[in-house]
Amino acid sequence: MNLYELTEMYQNLLDLEEEELQDHLKNIDDEIEIKAENIAKVLKDLEAGSEAYKKEIERLSNKKKSTENRAKRLKEYLQMAMEEVDKKKFKTNLFSFNIQKNAPYLKILDENKIPEEFYKVEKKLDKTEFKKAVKAGKYLDVAELVQTESLRIR
């Protein structure tokens, strides 16, 4: 189902690979206004499809998280049950079960007491301020302002 009714010529644009797209567009012999309107319809259809993919990714991510949480809870339950009957290691026909010690992890009790030598200082460019400086005529040997154009369809 399409957002707009498209002629078959423009409908085919939805299925083309990048390298074929430009050639196909050049072969369509419509006036620029007709071509632009039909391309805008194709763009709207593509954008709607992209939004649908985004929502599906979000839905599947939530489902993945839920499945991971369920698996974690089952594993925790099994470990607790094994500890209750004091059975830390056993085998069945298909699996081996073993409760073992993990590598120690660092639990911070009071972050304010940690010496400065254990902190990393991250160097990050403030592009907004640097852009202002370049605009003011500074650092022209380091960077330049580039003006581009883009198409807006309303």
Side-chain angles (χ1 to χ4, degrees):
M1 179 172 2
N2 293 322
L3 193 57
Y4 294 98
E5 289 293 322
L6 295 172
T7 63
E8 186 177 342
M9 225 175 355
Y10 288 97
Q11 181 65 38
N12 290 336
L13 296 177
L14 294 170
D15 301 324
L16 293 176
E17 298 295 324
E18 283 296 321
E19 56 274 355
E20 299 171 310
L21 185 62
Q22 295 294 326
D23 291 336
H24 192 75
L25 282 170
K26 287 177 187 170
N27 291 334
I28 297 176
D29 198 26
D30 284 342
E31 292 179 22
I32 188 67
E33 291 84 3
I34 294 170
K35 198 180 229 183
E37 184 169 306
N38 283 307
I39 289 172
K41 290 176 183 178
V42 170
L43 282 169
K44 290 293 182 190
D45 197 51
L46 290 171
E47 289 167 356
S50 178
E51 186 61 30
Y53 287 133
K54 180 181 173 185
K55 287 180 181 177
E56 184 66 3
I57 288 169
E58 187 177 310
R59 185 186 74 80
L60 289 173
S61 291
N62 290 338
K63 194 169 181 86
K64 175 184 178 259
K65 184 81 170 160
S66 173
T67 303
E68 288 171 345
N69 286 338
R70 213 171 331 139
K72 181 181 175 188
R73 283 191 301 275
L74 269 174
K75 193 173 179 181
E76 288 170 351
Y77 167 79
L78 182 56
Q79 181 176 342
M80 185 181 69
M82 287 173 64
E83 288 170 346
E84 278 181 13
V85 295
D86 199 30
K87 200 156 202 177
K88 297 215 179 232
K89 187 176 187 177
F90 61 89
K91 287 185 180 183
T92 64
N93 288 337
L94 296 175
F95 302 100
S96 296
F97 300 87
N98 184 16
I99 297 176
Q100 62 188 35
K101 294 199 180 294
N102 296 324
Y105 72 95
L106 184 63
K107 181 179 178 182
I108 306 296
L109 303 176
D110 187 352
E111 194 169 325
N112 295 324
K113 294 181 180 176
I114 299 173
E116 287 297 317
E117 66 188 79
F118 295 107
Y119 285 94
K120 290 182 181 178
V121 178
E122 223 176 284
K123 183 177 175 181
K124 187 175 180 197
L125 176 63
D126 183 347
K127 286 187 178 181
T128 304
E129 290 302 313
F130 189 57
K131 182 179 175 183
K132 288 177 186 175
V134 172
K135 202 172 190 177
K138 299 176 183 174
Y139 310 107
L140 297 178
D141 61 328
V142 177
E144 65 182 353
L145 293 176
V146 178
Q147 182 71 56
T148 62
E149 294 181 343
S150 63
L151 173 65
R152 293 206 178 121
I153 302 172
R154 298 178 205 199

